């Protein structure tokens, strides 16, 4: 088997590459800069919006769509016709939107798909690290509770999708618990060796800092998580055979 890994230098893709190579699977990567291709892989220079050359001759695709729109998705997935595809989607796809549109496009080109719907990556909190080092993170909705997932768990799920039969399966990929954003900051501070606390940021200030377009979708979602936390799923344990890694695990690996 030969697997094409898109996003091979990103948060999850680099772990997919190493895991597949450890499993003895041939790996091709789609990269803009061949100098950044992971060691031991076949690199094809190109872009995810036009992956025809990279897709030629592979059996499976680890697919990451990095845009907040489904524009161009039909052209992007057309070269993946009848191949095994593991697509990193979002829990938000349950409600449709562009995530749902991308899933539908994948379904239209192959019957051998696996959707890994994540709540969010633990790496999303890296933007707080600079503030955490000063002892305080100023942001909105500190009591919003998120079940962020370790990027290695996403990779482990994808590797199982390629090496076992998980065709036409949708998995909810989460961390083992829903932690408040304030608790996430505390854990990051502990891993850094610098106690850090949350300071609630006024909404108007947050809109200015985040940008109006992003704030329009992010702030209502975070507000909803104060009383209705993100779900916690056992799918990581069910598929991989090991429990989902905790946010503490992630922070210690990153910063200790």
């Amino acid at each position: 088997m030969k697997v094409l890994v898109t996003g091979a230098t990103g948060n999850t893709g680099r772990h997919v590459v190493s895991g597949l190579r450890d499993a003895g699977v041939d790996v091709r990567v789609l990269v803009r800069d061949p100098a950044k291709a992971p060691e031991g892989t076949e690199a094809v220079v190109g872009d995810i919006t036009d992956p025809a050359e990279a897709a030629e001759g592979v059996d499976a695709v680890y697919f990451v769509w990095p845009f907040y729109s489904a524009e161009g998705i039909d052209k992007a997935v057309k070269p993946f016709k009848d191949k095994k595809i593991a697509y990193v989607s979002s829990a938000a796809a349950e409600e449709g939107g562009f995530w749902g549109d991308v899933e539908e496009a994948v379904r239209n080109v192959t019957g051998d798909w696996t959707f890994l719907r994540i709540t969010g990556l633990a790496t999303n909190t890296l933007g707080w690290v600079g503030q955490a080092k000063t002892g305080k993170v100023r942001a909105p909705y500190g009591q919003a509770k998120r079940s962020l997932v370790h990027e290695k768990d996403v990779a482990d799920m994808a590797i199982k999708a390629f090496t076992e039969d998980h065709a036409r399966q949708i998995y909810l990929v989460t961390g083992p618990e829903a932690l408040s954003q304030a608790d996430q900051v505390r854990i990051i501070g502990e891993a850094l060796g610098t106690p850090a606390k949350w300071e609630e940021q006024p909404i108007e200030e947050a809109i200015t800092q985040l940008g109006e377009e992003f704030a329009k979708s992010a702030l209502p979602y975070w507000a909803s998580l104060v009383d209705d936390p993100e779900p916690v799923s056992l799918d990581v344990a069910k598929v991989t055979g090991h429990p989902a890694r905790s946010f503490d695990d992630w922070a210690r690996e990153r910063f200790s």
Side-chain angles (χ1 to χ4, degrees):
M1 172 185 282
K2 178 177 285 188
V3 178
L4 170 64
V5 178
T6 67
T9 59
N11 290 317
T12 63
R14 60 196 178 93
H15 295 296
V16 174
V17 168
S18 61
L20 288 172
R21 292 190 63 224
D22 288 346
V25 176
D26 291 334
V27 179
R28 177 183 292 171
V29 296
L30 177 62
V31 291
R32 290 191 178 93
D33 181 356
K36 295 182 178 180
E39 184 179 352
T41 63
E42 174 193 354
V44 174
V45 177
D47 187 272
I48 190 57
T49 60
D50 187 13
E53 181 183 352
E56 188 173 345
V58 302
D59 305 291
V61 181
Y62 178 72
F63 184 50
V64 178
W65 183 250
F67 310 109
Y68 290 98
S69 163
E71 183 178 355
I73 187 61
D74 291 331
K75 177 184 177 183
V77 299
K78 186 177 180 180
F80 304 155
K81 182 174 174 58
D82 296 330
K83 301 181 189 299
K84 181 189 290 287
I85 300 176
Y87 166 51
V88 182
S89 186
S90 166
E94 184 72 24
E95 308 299 325
F98 79 89
W99 294 104
D101 293 340
V102 175
E103 288 188 355
E104 186 62 24
V106 170
R107 285 189 181 97
N108 288 339
V109 296
T110 185
D112 194 352
W113 50 262
T114 306
F115 296 152
L116 307 177
R117 291 180 174 176
I118 66 173
T119 46
L121 290 172
T123 52
N124 292 348
T125 65
L126 289 173
W128 292 335
V129 172
Q131 290 188 72
K133 288 178 178 178
T134 71
K136 179 175 65 178
V137 171
R138 183 176 172 85
Y141 297 113
Q143 292 309 306
K145 300 172 185 67
R146 304 208 59 187
S147 52
L148 299 179
V149 61
H150 196 304
E151 58 270 25
K152 288 182 180 178
D153 285 337
V154 180
D156 288 349
M157 294 284 282
I159 291 162
K160 289 293 186 180
F162 294 131
T163 57
E164 299 175 356
D165 182 11
H166 294 274
R168 296 178 176 267
Q169 297 298 311
I170 298 174
Y171 295 114
L172 181 60
V173 186
T174 77
E177 60 183 331
L179 289 171
S180 72
Q181 297 194 118
D183 279 338
Q184 292 164 23
V185 165
R186 173 183 55 78
I187 290 167
I188 289 172
E190 290 171 355
L192 289 168
T194 304
K197 65 179 182 179
W198 185 275
E199 182 176 288
E200 196 65 26
Q201 183 181 42
I203 297 303
E204 289 304 315
E205 181 182 317
I207 292 172
T208 300
Q209 181 177 315
L210 295 169
E212 194 168 332
E213 192 61 32
F214 178 67
K216 189 185 301 182
S217 60
L219 292 178
Y221 179 63
W222 294 337
S224 74
L225 299 180
V226 173
D227 295 320
D228 187 17
E230 283 183 335
V232 172
S233 166
L234 297 177
D235 283 354
V236 169
K238 180 172 70 174
V239 172
T240 68
H242 67 71
R245 297 169 174 91
S246 70
F247 191 80
D248 293 81
D249 294 334
W250 176 84
R252 283 196 300 270
E253 286 180 23
R254 277 277 173 169
F255 307 119
S256 296

